Amino acid sequence: MTDTTTPRRIVVSGGGTGIGKATAAAFAADGDRVTVIGRREDVLRDAVAELSDLYGPGSADFQTADLSEPDQVRAAVARLAQDGPVDVVVTNAGGNVAFDDDGTLEGIADGYRRNFAANVLTAVLLTEALLPHLRRPGGRIVHLSSIAAVRGPGSYGGAKAAVHAYTYELAQRLGADGITANAVAPGYVGGTEFFGDRATPQFVATRVAGTLTGKPGHPDEIAAAIRYLASPAAAYVTGQIPHINGGTVLGR
């Protein structure tokens, strides 16, 4: 449990599945009030129903928005702001939306643009829109990055590396307000939609073989790191990128 005496307000983008859903559950288990945001209403509705069954009515709600679109972000945050300050924002929305291309310059450019929109704009626009409503002092910002930021692939890794730069900027900009900004960079995590049909047994075995622990990560393990960075105990941690990858990449 956190050491707060009243429930905190938590916003988790991409909170309907995988790491985002596990993160929402970790906060709801602490008695916090969680709003999950994403594009797929049916997925969000099911996640909120599950959280409400587990942790009680009112523990979670949802909003639908494409967070790469400024007008939709603005509208979603206006609704959120009606209920007062936000304590924590976790920008989990994103993923590799351009696994490959047709080899043309146009195709390459399209892949880079799509991964930038899906991973950078979704984090930056939601965070910037919420900044006026983030609790001071005590607000927490946690972005989701990836091992890809330090080793590729290009368009997705480059987008996540941009999230690192934005995290550093926020830490410097908001430190005097008592707000921390960090990112978590997972390695291979099983039990998510991330790889889709590519997650064949051979693919998974190859990813696991690249770890030192001989196991895939689990969404709950990433959620635990996010929960810590969002906690009062992490007030002295800002501008950091913890890598949780089973030793696949060392010392970064």
Side-chain angles (χ1 to χ4, degrees):
M1 296 289 289
T2 62
D3 63 2
T4 53
T5 57
T6 57
R8 297 185 302 167
R9 292 193 67 214
I10 316 294
V11 175
V12 180
S13 70
T17 62
I19 292 171
K21 183 179 177 182
T23 299
F27 287 118
D30 278 344
D32 294 324
R33 294 184 298 142
V34 184
T35 297
V36 293
I37 304 179
R39 293 176 296 126
R40 297 178 294 173
E41 181 174 347
D42 56 336
V43 171
L44 297 175
R45 190 181 300 278
D46 289 347
V48 166
E50 183 177 334
L51 293 174
S52 298
D53 286 344
L54 288 170
Y55 306 112
S59 57
D61 59 25
F62 73 89
Q63 292 198 37
T64 55
D66 181 340
L67 296 176
S68 68
E69 295 293 337
D71 287 346
Q72 294 190 40
V73 175
R74 191 177 292 112
V77 170
R79 292 189 292 269
L80 282 167
Q82 294 175 2
D83 293 328
V86 169
D87 296 279
V88 177
V89 55
V90 179
T91 67
N92 173 74
N96 189 349
V97 298
F99 283 116
D100 50 32
D101 57 68
D102 61 7
T104 67
L105 293 181
E106 290 79 8
I108 293 167
D110 178 67
Y112 270 81
R113 289 190 184 104
R114 288 194 290 132
N115 264 331
F116 187 89
N119 295 283
V120 182
L121 289 184
T122 56
V124 172
L125 295 182
L126 180 61
T127 302
E128 293 294 328
L130 281 172
L131 281 184
H133 311 288
L134 202 57
R135 192 174 299 281
R136 290 164 167 77
R140 300 285 185 265
I141 300 165
V142 186
H143 300 304
L144 259 292
S145 178
S146 169
I147 192 173
V150 295
R151 70 174 197 179
S155 64
Y156 177 63
K160 288 305 189 182
V163 171
H164 290 191
Y166 180 56
T167 300
Y168 301 147
E169 175 200 337
L170 285 173
Q172 295 175 75
R173 199 190 334 161
L174 301 173
D177 291 339
I179 296 173
T180 65
N182 296 283
V184 172
Y188 176 71
V189 176
T192 77
E193 298 179 337
F194 186 89
F195 292 102
D197 294 341
R198 296 203 306 154
T200 63
Q202 181 179 1
F203 177 92
V204 172
T206 299
R207 294 290 172 135
V208 170
T211 72
L212 301 180
T213 58
K215 62 178 287 293
H218 190 275
D220 288 345
E221 294 170 319
I222 312 306
I226 294 167
R227 178 178 175 273
Y228 166 69
L229 291 172
S231 73
Y236 198 49
V237 182
T238 195
Q240 304 302 312
I241 317 287
H243 284 260
I244 306 172
N245 57 45
T248 304
V249 170
L250 300 176
R252 306 218 188 159

